[in-house]
Amino acid sequence: MAETAITTVLAKVAELVAWEAAVLLEVGDDVRLLRDKLEWLHTFIRDADRRRRLRDDEFVAVWVRQTRDVAFEAEDALDDFLHRAGRRGRAAWTRAAAPGCAVGWWSGCAGEVALRHDLSSRIRQIKKRLDEISANRAAYNIDHTPAPAWVAAAASATTLAAWDDLEEYTVGLGKYSDRLIEQLLDDAVAARTVVSISGESSIGKTTLARKVYQSPEVRNHFEIRTWTVLSHKCRAADVLRDIHRQMTSQLRRAPSRQVAEDGCDGAKACGHGKDISNQLYKSMTGRRYLVVVDGSIAVTDWNSLRASLPDEGNGSRVLLITDSAGLEAVGHAGHTYDPIELTRLSPENTYEVFRRRVFGRGDCPGRYKSRYYQDVFRITRGLPLSIVILAGVLRSKELPAEWDEVMAQLAPAREQHKGSSSSNNSRRIMSLAFDDLPHHLKSCFLYLAAMRESTPVDAQRLVRLWVAEGFVRPRRGSIMEEVGQGYLKELISRCMVQLVDKDEFGAVQTVVVHDRLHAFAQDEAQEASFIESHDSTDVLAPATVRRLAVLNSTTDRYVQLSNALPKLRSIICDFLEGRNNRSGKCIQYSDLGFLHASKFLRVIDIQGLELKKLPNEIGSMIHIRYLGLQCGDLEKLPSTIGNLVNLQSLILGGRHVHVLEVTAAFWRIPTLRHVVAPFALPSRALGDLHNLQTLHGVQPRGWDGGNNPLAKATNLRSLELSELTADHAGALEAALESLDLLVHLSLRGDSLPASVFSVPSLRRLQSLKLWGPVDAPEGPSSAEDVRYIRPNLTRLSMWSTMVKQKFVNMLAELPSLGELTLMLDAYDGDRLEFGDAGFRSLHKLKLGLPELEEWAVGADSMPGLATLTLCRCARMQMLPEALAGMEQLEEVVLYSMPDMVGRIKEGEGEDHHKVKHVPVIQTIY
């Protein structure tokens, strides 16, 4: 797609123009003329891309391809200039900094003159090629009329649905839902039985299953519930491993790193090198489970799954979500119900889904309703995915003028109603929705082709990658990450991306892309040479590839490339974890040697690769903005990492985390925005960290007295420190006093300051996590009225803090506290009291206090509590009477509390009346 290529080059031109004027001597005019020519071309190429996609003009396809290639050539020329100029400038700056030297870093060198001359010559050649392409366009009478450029309506007669109010409505699925619940909860069939949902792609199978999976009846009935999405070429062992991981998470048998967070110990989740089938069988024995498998599965893999799940006659179920072809596996399943086969929506239900997606609780104005009622059904043919995508296009369009234009573009699909295939019709709608995206959102959407299919994507990671790639445009008054969040919300509003989860402050946390849209994105990205995606370790990527995604699902966790990649800008590798050979040892370690020739790299994002160290050559890749290595065996970083003068994000993590030493030069990189790494953080020698927003995983080194190690990191939003002691108290408090913008704070150590609740600067703090004893368990003496000191604190988690009742009384006054977790020895005492009128905003409470005997709750306390989790409170004698009056309480979860389970049993439990109104009660041993 030439449009995204030109957009990228224009961003590079803007980056170059933003440099010092001295850099642009002799080439400034050439660069600006190139920019002008590309901007004009940009206005015409959009329609050509659309026509190329429709395959209705081969001349247009050639014009688009040639234009894209020239845009790539321009990008290479600019990146080469920036790379060479940057390396020369760094060396010259070092010379200029020597005593007695007052020469500017860019002047007085014949090499720099030659460098500028080379760029000027290459730009002239590029402009000449663009002129030739334009001449050919005229010679072959290639029409370049711009496509319709709609704008969002300034006002609407009806209120639109909010971007985050686009839930998966199960309109028309009621009869299927009732039948599915009946089969899952059927007491007459005690044997482990297979339930199946079938139908064509995008018909709503997953939507139906997810709604039932989350229903109170199903959550109450099954002790274990797991949901596994089958990715392309996944193996039976992958499926078993994923089921086992989810099961251990629900039982709180997490790895040691997670034990402290959950407060529940247990066996390791995965058991590397062991027979996962036997592990799963033993762990599932004695439990009623529901295992959901979403996707087509081979008969051999299905047999492996069945053999790994016990059948004890306790009503366990396996739910298979697949198309008609995938039902072949069910024929080998033993006990089965007849498949639930979904059909397309009726005209009435089609319009209802469309109405809710566009107008929320409102409706289309009456004079237009009948006009579009039939149009929507004819275009989408009752296919839910097509309905929501069309709704996403029309949500912000002027009614009726722009709506009619959209319907007119889809008219061929209506005329071919009887003859054209469903997939072609759906693709036309996806193409139109993609064409309607603004330039910057096209690149952002195509980037999702580099993510794993049908797998939730972390929004924070995605936005940071967008920023590093240069897709996010600066906006006055907002940081780049906030602008990127806005882009993501717009894609959600347009129904190109589906919201999975968001926090209470409106930030998107996870998203997912429908598999049909993901396939569309991959096709477009491949056609446009935007991203090449592979699912094998033996990658036959051409030397011209610019972005490479390796999404591996096989046994090997290393990358083997047969040729250098000199044009590469980004590499994203996602290897499923937990794969070892029979000896339990890794097959091969990678040294990233295949990247040595990729001097233009901006993004390295690798997860699950066996990697022990980075090569020294990484320091020469000065374009790198994002370096993410989720590689558990990483042992050291080269000193040359301090040369990455454009680095924005450094994300390190994995299974075996230990402190890494990093050169002092790293802390002087001015562009740093996000550092998530197990680093030792010195008290001095830090540079100007004005852009730093995230600092996680670091440990203090040499902190003493009132020295402020973070004095210049005044824009820090999120901070996580570990290994804190009483010696660090002064420096830590000095640092906190300067962090006015801090939103998230996590502290772990042997002595934590109670002043985190009283430092006036932390008024924006929303999330606070504390691991370890608080130095003043009675509460901070200087906080006379804490509710006004922490007005925005929403989430508070405390482990082993040893606080007393007075401290808890202080917490009860926090006006915005919505989630509270007290685990292990967080509270010092055997009686805990939540007084009257306390915790007014609390909706989620988790207590894991093994020494607690009595929990008293006032009649007006926690009026909005929705979820209560009690974990291993073995000495608790009874539930508070006040629970009986909590009308908002929706779920009570009891972990490893058999005596309490007996007390809430219907008909015989002394505490049953306190929770009988609660829709969901889960008991897990």
Side-chain angles (χ1 to χ4, degrees):
M1 189 179 65
E3 184 182 357
T4 56
I6 295 175
T7 301
T8 300
V9 179
L10 287 172
K12 293 285 176 65
V13 171
E15 182 180 334
L16 182 58
V17 171
W19 269 34
E20 297 181 39
V23 179
L24 293 179
L25 288 174
E26 300 179 12
V27 296
D29 289 341
D30 289 324
V31 171
R32 293 184 183 94
L33 287 172
L34 175 63
R35 178 190 60 191
D36 294 344
K37 185 174 285 290
L38 289 172
E39 284 178 342
W40 277 107
L41 188 59
H42 202 211
T43 62
F44 297 113
I45 203 68
R46 179 179 183 177
D47 183 62
D49 253 331
R50 180 183 64 83
R51 290 171 57 191
R52 185 268 308 163
R53 193 176 297 109
L54 295 175
R55 303 292 194 272
D56 62 354
D57 193 327
E58 288 299 322
F59 289 115
V60 168
V62 172
W63 180 44
V64 168
R65 186 177 65 253
Q66 290 183 353
T67 303
R68 180 198 64 207
D69 291 344
V70 176
F72 285 159
E73 186 179 338
E75 183 184 19
D76 291 343
L78 294 174
D79 275 344
D80 186 53
F81 175 79
L82 289 168
H83 181 80
R84 294 162 64 189
R87 298 192 69 180
R88 286 178 181 272
R90 196 168 65 248
W93 181 267
T94 302
R95 294 194 301 269
C101 181
V103 180
W105 70 267
W106 186 258
S107 60
C109 179
E112 282 80 19
V113 174
L115 187 57
R116 293 195 297 265
H117 178 75
D118 180 57
L119 175 62
S120 182
S121 176
R122 293 177 71 174
I123 288 178
R124 286 194 291 270
Q125 289 296 322
I126 290 168
K127 288 190 293 184
K128 182 178 178 182
R129 281 201 61 191
L130 288 174
D131 290 338
E132 291 172 352
I133 292 172
S134 296
N136 287 335
R137 179 197 56 74
Y140 291 102
N141 296 317
I142 300 175
D143 181 22
H144 60 237
T145 303
W150 297 298
V151 293
S156 176
T158 307
T159 302
L160 297 177
W163 70 270
D164 56 349
D165 190 29
L166 305 176
E167 63 174 286
E168 291 185 298
Y169 293 105
T170 53
V171 175
L173 300 179
K175 60 181 179 180
Y176 303 116
S177 176
D178 294 341
R179 185 178 168 194
L180 179 57
I181 291 177
E182 180 183 343
Q183 292 182 2
L184 293 176
L185 308 185
D186 188 1
D187 291 333
V189 180
R192 181 198 63 201
T193 308
V194 176
V195 179
S196 55
I197 305 173
S198 69
E200 63 179 303
S201 177
S202 313
I203 199 69
K205 303 185 294 295
T206 299
T207 301
L208 167 65
R210 182 68 69 181
K211 206 76 172 179
V212 171
Y213 181 83
Q214 295 173 344
S215 67
E217 304 97 311
V218 170
R219 290 162 66 190
N220 275 326
H221 190 73
F222 296 100
E223 181 180 359
I224 299 296
R225 295 178 304 126
T226 69
W227 187 298
T228 298
V229 178
L230 301 182
S231 59
H232 183 55
K233 290 187 179 180
C234 72
R235 306 175 307 132
D238 300 332
V239 179
L240 301 183
R241 220 174 256 112
D242 186 56
I243 295 172
H244 190 271
R245 177 188 57 79
Q246 294 182 56
M247 181 207 68
T248 52
S249 175
Q250 291 177 45
L251 296 177
R252 295 306 189 264
R253 294 178 180 174
S256 56
R257 185 181 177 190
Q258 193 71 22
V259 167
E261 298 183 10
D262 292 325
C264 304
D265 52 10
K268 289 191 175 182
C270 210
H272 299 296
K274 297 182 180 179
D275 186 346
I276 188 63
S277 178
N278 285 337
Q279 278 190 292
L280 182 60
Y281 190 94
K282 292 176 182 178
S283 300
M284 285 289 202
T285 298
R287 307 182 189 280
R288 180 190 289 166
Y289 57 81
L290 168 61
V291 171
V292 181
V293 179
D294 190 352
S296 295
I297 186 170
V299 174
T300 53
D301 292 341
W302 178 255
N303 290 336
S304 297
L305 175 60
R306 284 199 305 127
S308 304
L309 297 174
D311 184 0
E312 301 177 288
N314 60 1
S316 292
R317 295 289 187 266
V318 177
L319 173 58
L320 180 62
I321 306 170
T322 186
D323 53 22
S324 300
L327 289 178
E328 178 186 354
V330 180
H332 303 265
H335 297 282
T336 62
Y337 287 99
D338 290 337
I340 299 173
E341 186 166 1
L342 272 60
T343 57
R344 296 195 176 200
L345 299 180
S346 66
E348 295 80 7
N349 288 331
T350 293
Y351 181 76
E352 181 63 12
V353 172
F354 175 81
R355 180 191 68 79
R356 294 186 182 185
R357 284 280 176 162
V358 176
F359 301 106
R361 295 179 176 85
D363 198 356
C364 183
R367 62 186 181 278
Y368 301 124
K369 182 174 181 179
S370 59
R371 176 173 169 181
Y372 297 115
Y373 181 91
Q374 293 297 328
D375 280 349
V376 172
F377 181 72
R378 289 193 189 106
I379 290 171
T380 64
R381 304 184 194 174
L383 194 64
L385 179 64
S386 297
I387 297 168
V388 299
I389 295 176
L390 179 60
V393 173
L394 295 176
R395 274 170 56 83
S396 60
K397 298 290 178 287
E398 186 84 42
L399 182 68
E402 292 178 348
W403 280 43
D404 288 339
E405 287 188 44
V406 172
M407 300 298 185
Q409 286 203 50
L410 294 171
R414 282 185 280 169
E415 294 167 2
Q416 299 169 8
H417 174 60
K418 295 183 179 180
S420 65
S421 69
S422 163
S423 60
N424 288 340
N425 196 59
S426 177
R427 191 172 181 89
R428 291 178 68 91
I429 298 172
M430 286 188 282
S431 293
L432 183 139
F434 180 71
D435 288 331
D436 187 50
L437 291 175
H439 303 305
H440 57 281
L441 288 187
K442 281 188 170 73
S443 298
C444 292
F445 174 73
L446 289 185
Y447 208 73
L448 290 162
M451 306 294 134
R452 193 175 291 277
E453 177 186 8
S454 303
T455 301
V457 178
D458 180 76
Q460 194 174 62
R461 172 194 170 212
L462 183 61
V463 168
R464 289 173 183 173
L465 288 168
W466 286 350
V467 172
E469 292 280 2
F471 301 156
V472 179
R473 300 172 179 175
R475 187 174 64 201
R476 186 183 299 273
S478 300
I479 61 174
M480 299 289 275
E481 287 74 10
E482 291 171 344
V483 179
Q485 272 274 330
Y487 288 5
L488 194 51
K489 290 176 181 178
E490 186 170 354
L491 287 173
I492 294 170
S493 177
R494 290 170 173 269
C495 304
M496 301 293 282
V497 172
Q498 181 182 340
L499 175 67
V500 176
D501 194 19
K502 65 183 179 73
D503 64 23
E504 293 183 348
F505 295 90
V508 181
Q509 292 184 316
T510 50
V511 296
V512 72
V513 181
H514 190 280
D515 55 359
R516 289 279 291 273
L517 277 166
H518 187 268
F520 174 84
Q522 285 198 325
D523 288 347
E524 279 297 307
Q526 183 83 15
E527 175 72 24
S529 298
F530 185 80
I531 291 175
E532 284 222 11
S533 298
H534 297 263
D535 57 8
S536 170
T537 50
D538 189 12
V539 179
L540 300 176
T544 56
V545 66
R546 309 183 86 78
R547 294 185 183 91
L548 177 64
V550 183
L551 310 176
N552 182 263
S553 298
T554 60
T555 55
D556 301 340
R557 290 161 66 199
Y558 64 96
V559 177
Q560 179 177 337
L561 291 165
S562 56
N563 56 313
L565 303 172
K567 308 290 187 181
L568 194 65
R569 265 69 177 181
S570 306
I571 182 165
I572 297 176
C573 294
D574 187 358
F575 291 76
L576 294 178
E577 297 219 17
R579 292 190 165 79
N580 300 71
N581 60 12
R582 294 181 180 178
S583 65
K585 297 180 180 179
C586 304
I587 295 175
Q588 178 176 333
Y589 283 97
S590 172
D591 62 356
L592 301 186
F594 59 92
L595 298 179
H596 289 177
S598 307
K599 62 181 181 180
F600 297 146
L601 268 170
R602 294 174 70 101
V603 168
I604 300 177
D605 186 28
I606 298 176
Q607 302 190 46
L609 192 70
E610 299 297 350
L611 180 69
K612 283 190 173 182
K613 63 179 181 178
L614 288 177
N616 289 327
E617 289 81 359
I618 196 79
S620 65
M621 302 176 185
I622 60 173
H623 288 287
I624 291 181
R625 266 74 168 164
Y626 185 103
L627 179 57
L629 301 172
Q630 300 292 325
C631 305
D633 298 289
L634 190 65
E635 296 177 351
K636 61 182 297 186
L637 296 175
S639 60
T640 56
I641 198 166
N643 296 340
L644 303 182
V645 294
N646 294 301
L647 187 65
Q648 298 173 356
S649 299
L650 177 66
I651 314 295
L652 304 181
R655 294 190 311 274
H656 313 298
V657 179
H658 54 276
V659 179
L660 297 175
E661 296 297 330
V662 63
T663 175
F666 171 81
W667 298 111
R668 294 193 289 272
I669 298 175
T671 55
L672 284 177
R673 303 175 73 87
H674 308 284
V675 177
V676 181
F679 285 164
L681 183 66
S683 62
R684 295 177 178 83
L686 299 185
D688 183 2
L689 299 177
H690 181 75
N691 289 310
L692 191 64
Q693 299 173 36
T694 306
L695 184 59
H696 287 184
V698 295
Q699 299 181 9
R701 287 289 187 276
W703 291 21
D704 52 16
N707 175 57
N708 183 356
L710 297 173
K712 296 182 180 180
T714 53
N715 282 311
L716 202 62
R717 262 78 168 172
S718 186
L719 174 63
E720 294 189 358
L721 297 170
S722 61
E723 302 299 323
L724 291 166
T725 67
D727 296 336
H728 303 135
L732 176 59
E733 187 161 343
L736 295 179
E737 287 176 350
S738 64
L739 302 180
D740 294 342
L741 300 180
L742 204 64
V743 172
H744 168 76
L745 175 63
S746 173
L747 303 176
R748 183 194 295 262
D750 298 331
S751 179
L752 307 181
S755 58
V756 296
F757 289 94
S758 58
V759 174
S761 60
L762 301 182
R763 293 181 181 274
R764 299 186 186 219
L765 197 66
Q766 298 173 7
S767 171
L768 177 61
K769 296 182 178 181
L770 303 174
W771 283 270
V774 174
D775 61 12
E778 294 290 347
S781 58
S782 60
E784 296 180 359
D785 193 349
V786 176
R787 64 179 295 130
Y788 298 111
I789 297 294
R790 295 291 169 269
N792 294 302
L793 189 61
T794 303
R795 295 190 185 95
L796 175 61
S797 302
M798 303 171 70
W799 285 265
S800 303
T801 48
M802 298 294 289
V803 300
K804 299 186 182 297
Q805 182 64 52
K806 185 178 178 181
F807 202 107
V808 175
N809 295 342
M810 178 197 71
L811 300 180
E813 295 297 314
L814 295 172
S816 302
L817 189 62
E819 298 181 15
L820 175 62
T821 298
L822 300 175
M823 302 299 293
L824 297 178
D825 297 321
Y827 179 74
D828 183 15
D830 56 15
R831 186 181 189 275
L832 176 64
E833 183 177 349
F834 284 9
D836 290 342
F839 298 105
R840 303 299 297 174
S841 299
L842 199 67
H843 61 83
K844 193 172 186 178
L845 174 64
K846 183 174 183 178
L847 298 178
L849 306 173
E851 302 300 320
L852 186 64
E853 297 180 7
E854 182 182 357
W855 178 31
V857 178
D860 296 325
S861 183
M862 302 184 293
L865 189 66
T867 302
L868 170 63
T869 301
L870 300 176
C871 178
R872 299 184 186 274
C873 299
R875 296 189 179 185
M876 185 181 291
Q877 299 173 6
M878 65 180 67
L879 294 177
E881 188 68 35
L883 295 182
M886 295 184 182
E887 299 179 355
Q888 304 299 319
L889 194 57
E890 299 176 351
E891 182 176 14
V892 173
V893 184
L894 302 177
Y895 287 111
S896 298
M897 297 180 61
D899 294 341
M900 191 61 69
V901 171
R903 291 184 63 88
I904 65 172
K905 280 187 177 179
E906 184 175 0
E908 56 184 87
E910 301 93 325
D911 286 349
H912 173 67
H913 69 283
K914 302 174 184 177
V915 295
K916 65 180 181 181
H917 65 293
V918 181
V920 177
I921 299 178
Q922 288 186 291
T923 58
I924 301 177
Y925 297 96

